[in-house]
Amino acid sequence: MKLLRCPVNGLRPISEFVWGGEVRDMPDPDAVSDAEWAHYVFDRSGVPAVKREWWYHVPSGVWFIAERDTVADRVLRTYPYGGDA
Amino acid sequence: MPYRLLKFALARRHPEPRMFRTHARLKPSYDVVIIGGGGHGLAAAYYLARDHGITDVCVLEKGYLGGGNTARNTTIVRSNYLTPEGVRFYDESVRLWRDLSAEFDLNLFYSTRGHYTLAHTDASLRTMRWRAEVNRHLGVESRVVDVEELRRALPMMDLSAGGHAPVLGALYHAPGAVARHDAVAWGYGRGADLRGVEIHQQTEVVGIELEGGAVSAVLTTKGRIATRTVLCAVAGSTPRITRMVGLSTPITIQPLQAMVSEPLKPWLDPIIVSGSLHVYVSQSARGELVMGASLDPCELHSTRSTFDFTEGLASHMLDLFPFLSRVRVLRQWAGMADMTPDFAPIMGTTPVTGFYLDAGWGTWGFKATPVAGKTMAWTIAHGRDHELIRAFNLSRFTDFRLTGEKGAASVGH
Ligand SMILES: Cc1cc2nc3c(=O)[nH]c(=O)nc-3n(C[C@H](O)[C@H](O)[C@H](O)COP(=O)(O)OP(=O)(O)OC[C@H]3O[C@@H](n4cnc5c(N)ncnc54)[C@H](O)[C@@H]3O)c2cc1C
């Protein structure tokens, strides 16, 4: 993977981007047990898959979502957070 | 070609015995099944048989013996960690390393070189003073050295790092060493085999059966094995195995790359590490410079290598050693590092009865091969965590009691 399409700036070299990890939903801290909260804070899905991930375009300060195959390192699509492809 | 050599090559019968036996098929059950024939899995098998008399053991390896991160690492052995738990653990490993060649009757080329971690900022000097204090308190040789001493010890290094990252000092750790990685796997493999352990290559684990929250069988590409005890020692494949028993962990997989130069006359005795420049380098017994950098920047389950890595690492090498500009890179490769958030391993018992974990070895686990094998064997034999590994249990992530080694492990290996 050498290029990535930022939804705002278009196709840019991968060196301009920072990976932000998989998109995860935060549970309500007041509603979950300590163990469930610890699970949210630390545990990750480490298995290979197509994952929804946070990516950051550094020069323009844009956070967005990429769907990426973590075995082939292929990005299937990118879109703004809250938006759709 | 000498006549004897030719005769030897053409002869069907080779007097030199293989390192270990091959077995036509798996038995229907074993007392202990070890998943992963890297250094860690083989060492655990060796100590189970040698120290605890547990020999009804099989080691299952999906590829070939030692072909995982064991064969891909840059072989730095050291014990100058940051937490007392880490220092004690890795120090015990260094002690075991020193005797291994004699114990195996196999030359591991274990070579004590001394290890410099360079500081380019006040913040890293501060962490080094901290590390030196903790290390010395626990009897590990470690001290902060100033630029003058570095200039005398490493006259071939540009201490200004090309003018943009001047070296302010370093942490010096005399026991720092390198070893021949393949031989470590073979030595443990042969030792385990001689004591009755079965090693099965080309045998992949594809499932694990549980009964009432306890392990009851392991499913492989060569059939089903009934067992109550499984050790998972698969480094970069850990999340795939823990998923089979429904265990969640903080482990994520990111590639770590390395490369070697063409062989040069010996000129670099110690191991040099710079966290700020993302460089670490040593010179192997063959004369090659063995070099590595930091992790690849995102999750990836692949051992592809990249040009970006070679380019970046070469440029940082030239900052420190400008005279290498004409030296060629010979090979490069990558391994899948099983990273944890606190840069400490995940070892010992788990909430699944009979399922033991030896994982989270990230970029730093080669040096731990002997002590991990030894303590995991003890843990399996006794059904509870060995005292040296208590701080590494998976439960630390539910108890919010991490073992923070980032300051000593994030680039240093
Ligand atoms: C480039 C690089 C440089 C490094 N440098 C250093 C260093 O300088 N110092 C240091 O201390 N550490 C270093 N490390 C880390 C070190 O290499 C590892 O932590 C260590 O080798 C892990 O050993 P292991 O036996 O646990 O895993 P591995 O050697 O990876 O063995 C695991 C085995 O499990 C097998 N396996 C996986 N899934 C299955 C399955 N389903 N069924 C059967 N078998 C399976 C794999 O094929 C593999 O052979 C480095 C790592 C890399 C990648």
Side-chain angles (χ1 to χ4, degrees):
Chain A
M1 194 172 75
K2 297 201 185 304
L3 299 170
L4 184 58
R5 185 176 299 282
C6 167
V8 175
N9 300 284
L11 213 55
R12 306 293 308 167
I14 193 70
S15 57
E16 292 185 5
F17 295 90
V18 172
W19 176 66
E22 196 172 357
V23 177
R24 302 176 309 125
D25 293 324
M26 186 173 85
D28 176 0
D30 296 324
V32 293
S33 67
D34 287 353
E36 284 164 329
W37 182 249
H39 172 66
Y40 165 72
V41 172
F42 294 116
D43 289 349
R44 297 291 181 272
S45 146
V47 291
V50 172
K51 295 185 177 177
R52 284 179 70 221
E53 298 175 324
W54 285 107
W55 282 82
Y56 180 60
H57 183 242
V58 181
S60 66
V62 178
W63 280 105
F64 60 94
I65 309 292
E67 287 178 11
R68 189 172 64 98
D69 177 338
T70 61
V71 177
D73 202 17
R74 262 211 350 262
V75 172
L76 308 183
R77 54 185 194 154
T78 58
Y79 46 90
Y81 179 63
D84 231 323
Chain B
M1 191 190 293
Y3 175 65
R4 264 184 54 217
L5 194 59
L6 192 67
K7 213 172 119 188
F8 181 83
L10 295 176
R12 287 281 152 110
R13 296 224 323 262
H14 293 286
E16 179 77 6
R18 306 290 301 180
M19 290 295 284
F20 50 91
R21 295 164 297 162
T22 51
H23 306 273
R25 58 181 59 84
L26 289 163
K27 294 195 298 180
S29 78
Y30 294 89
D31 287 346
V32 180
V33 173
I34 297 177
I35 314 175
H40 282 242
L42 293 163
Y46 173 84
Y47 291 113
L48 269 175
R50 196 198 74 172
D51 296 354
H52 306 284
I54 300 176
T55 56
D56 186 24
V57 176
C58 70
V59 179
L60 307 179
E61 167 54 53
K62 74 172 174 189
Y64 59 94
L65 193 117
N69 288 354
T70 297
R72 297 162 190 274
N73 85 95
T74 46
T75 80
I76 297 172
V77 175
R78 63 186 178 89
S79 60
N80 58 349
Y81 276 72
L82 185 59
T83 65
E85 295 84 356
V87 175
R88 263 188 222 110
F89 177 77
Y90 292 107
D91 185 41
E92 178 60 18
S93 212
V94 170
R95 251 191 284 274
L96 293 170
W97 272 110
R98 290 189 177 129
D99 295 334
L100 276 189
S101 289
E103 202 175 312
F104 292 162
D105 193 16
L106 182 70
N107 193 349
L108 302 188
F109 289 81
Y110 187 77
S111 169
T112 302
R113 300 286 191 85
H115 180 285
Y116 289 95
T117 314
L118 307 178
H120 305 259
T121 63
D122 283 332
S124 47
L125 258 187
R126 239 182 343 263
T127 314
M128 283 173 192
R129 285 199 196 95
W130 177 7
R131 278 166 71 181
E133 288 305 320
V134 175
N135 290 175
R136 277 209 299 266
H137 183 66
L138 295 165
V140 168
E141 228 184 306
S142 195
R143 62 191 168 87
V144 175
V145 297
D146 63 13
V147 179
E148 268 323 301
E149 188 172 341
L150 277 178
R151 209 186 303 280
R152 278 196 304 276
L154 303 163
M156 60 299 218
M157 194 165 81
D158 178 358
L159 288 171
S160 77
H164 55 78
V167 176
L168 306 180
L171 183 66
Y172 180 63
H173 176 53
V178 288
R180 186 173 164 222
H181 40 33
D182 299 323
V184 177
W186 298 334
Y188 276 120
R190 180 171 71 180
D193 174 80
L194 282 172
R195 290 168 175 82
V197 170
E198 290 187 6
I199 298 171
H200 292 263
Q201 302 187 87
Q202 305 290 326
T203 308
E204 181 172 357
V205 170
V206 293
I208 297 174
E209 288 178 6
L210 302 181
E211 243 176 58
V215 170
S216 61
V218 171
L219 309 177
T220 79
T221 46
K222 303 239 172 103
R224 181 177 183 279
I225 304 168
T227 187
R228 295 190 177 285
T229 308
V230 166
L231 170 63
C232 170
V234 296
S237 301
T238 302
R240 303 181 210 209
I241 303 289
T242 48
R243 179 172 58 177
M244 294 175 189
V245 295
L247 213 55
S248 52
T249 78
I251 292 175
T252 53
I253 308 301
Q254 280 175 250
L256 180 69
Q257 304 192 47
M259 67 187 192
V260 296
S261 73
E262 59 188 324
L264 307 169
K265 285 184 181 168
W267 63 274
L268 181 66
D269 192 42
I271 302 154
I272 311 283
V273 177
S274 163
S276 308
L277 294 179
H278 305 293
V279 171
Y280 57 97
V281 56
S282 66
Q283 190 170 20
S284 76
R286 274 199 298 240
E288 299 168 335
L289 296 177
V290 181
M291 297 168 275
S294 46
L295 277 177
D296 281 11
C298 65
E299 175 181 359
L300 186 63
H301 302 262
S302 162
T303 51
R304 61 93 181 90
S305 46
T306 65
F307 181 67
D308 288 0
F309 160 79
T310 324
E311 199 180 26
L313 177 51
S315 110
H316 286 140
M317 276 296 294
L318 292 182
D319 285 343
L320 292 176
F321 306 107
F323 65 93
L324 292 176
S325 60
R326 285 168 188 279
V327 171
R328 277 160 296 199
V329 171
L330 215 59
R331 298 188 300 280
Q332 68 178 109
W333 65 89
M336 296 190 292
D338 39 336
M339 300 302 294
T340 61
D342 56 1
F343 292 76
I346 301 180
M347 298 179 74
T349 53
T350 69
V352 179
T353 308
F355 184 80
Y356 295 86
L357 204 49
D358 174 66
W361 289 111
T363 65
W364 53 84
F366 176 69
K367 66 179 71 62
T369 305
V371 74
K374 195 157 185 174
T375 52
M376 285 311 304
W378 192 98
T379 299
I380 290 169
H382 292 82
R384 64 191 154 88
D385 292 336
H386 187 283
E387 61 165 333
L388 275 179
I389 66 170
R390 263 180 225 150
F392 304 139
N393 193 282
L394 176 63
S395 62
R396 73 180 184 273
F397 298 103
T398 12
D399 303 340
F400 290 88
R401 270 202 332 247
L402 305 202
T403 305
E405 284 290 5
K406 183 162 187 181
S410 59
V411 169
H413 302 274

